[in-house]
Amino acid sequence: TEEVIGDFGLVQGAASGDEIDRLDYTLGTPRNAVMVATTKLAGGHSDEYMLFNEETLFPMVDTTGTTSDKVRSDIVFFETPRGGAVFSVGSINWVGALAWNTFDNNVATITRNVLQDFLTHADANRRFSEPAAG
């Protein structure tokens, strides 16, 4: 079964909302980025959420949260060429879900696990990709 992540929070009642971002290779997401999780596609957000007009041609049809799979919030991870890594939660509302239920929730657990992993591997030459020679 799939666990719902962050269906609670102090900002708009969820970990995904207000400002959202998605993985999209055509818009510059690094090719080695991996989508870890996503909001529900087409219907995961209300029609108050829309694509930016820079992403579509006119007329703008099927660009709202209930009609477009592109209106979503993705959790993304990727490694950088020099041994670093990026973990992006895809929504400004994530922080509002951290303290929910006195930090006893899946948003806080995911955040804690990622930060612990980053700290653990910061001094150990990271287990991620080594920089390319040259």
Side-chain angles (χ1 to χ4, degrees), residues 5-9 11-21 38-40 44-46 49 71-75 89-97 107:
I5 299 170
D7 58 343
F8 48 82
V11 183
Q12 298 178 318
S16 177
D18 198 22
E19 294 180 19
I20 57 175
D21 297 301
T38 189
T39 54
K40 295 178 185 174
H45 291 281
S46 73
Y49 294 87
V71 178
R72 65 178 194 265
S73 172
D74 295 334
I75 297 174
V89 295
S91 176
I92 198 168
N93 283 12
W94 185 267
V95 69
V107 170

Side-chain angles (χ1 to χ4, degrees), residues 77-86 118 126 128-129:
F77 172 84
F78 64 92
E79 300 167 349
T80 62
R82 295 188 180 222
V86 173
F118 279 24
R126 291 208 73 82
F128 306 118
S129 306

Side-chain angles (χ1 to χ4, degrees), residues 17-100:
D18 198 22
E19 294 180 19
I20 57 175
D21 297 301
R22 72 177 191 274
L23 176 145
D24 191 326
Y25 300 115
T26 65
L27 295 176
T29 301
R31 288 287 176 197
N32 64 327
V34 176
M35 184 187 310
V36 177
T38 189
T39 54
K40 295 178 185 174
L41 302 178
H45 291 281
S46 73
D47 287 342
E48 293 176 7
Y49 294 87
M50 300 179 69
L51 293 177
F52 278 96
N53 56 4
E54 293 88 358
E55 294 184 57
T56 62
L57 300 174
F58 289 95
M60 292 179 64
V61 296
D62 296 328
T63 60
T64 62
T66 59
T67 60
S68 175
D69 287 348
K70 291 182 178 180
V71 178
R72 65 178 194 265
S73 172
D74 295 334
I75 297 174
V76 175
F77 172 84
F78 64 92
E79 300 167 349
T80 62
R82 295 188 180 222
V86 173
F87 178 75
S88 171
V89 295
S91 176
I92 198 168
N93 283 12
W94 185 267
V95 69
L98 281 171
W100 190 261

Side-chain angles (χ1 to χ4, degrees), residues 1-9 13-16 36-37 75 87 89 93-115:
T1 63
E2 294 181 5
E3 180 180 356
V4 175
I5 299 170
D7 58 343
F8 48 82
S16 177
V36 177
I75 297 174
F87 178 75
V89 295
N93 283 12
W94 185 267
V95 69
L98 281 171
W100 190 261
N101 195 29
T102 320
F103 296 91
D104 185 17
N105 63 72
N106 55 16
V107 170
T109 299
I110 291 168
T111 303
R112 183 182 318 105
N113 290 345
V114 169
L115 292 174

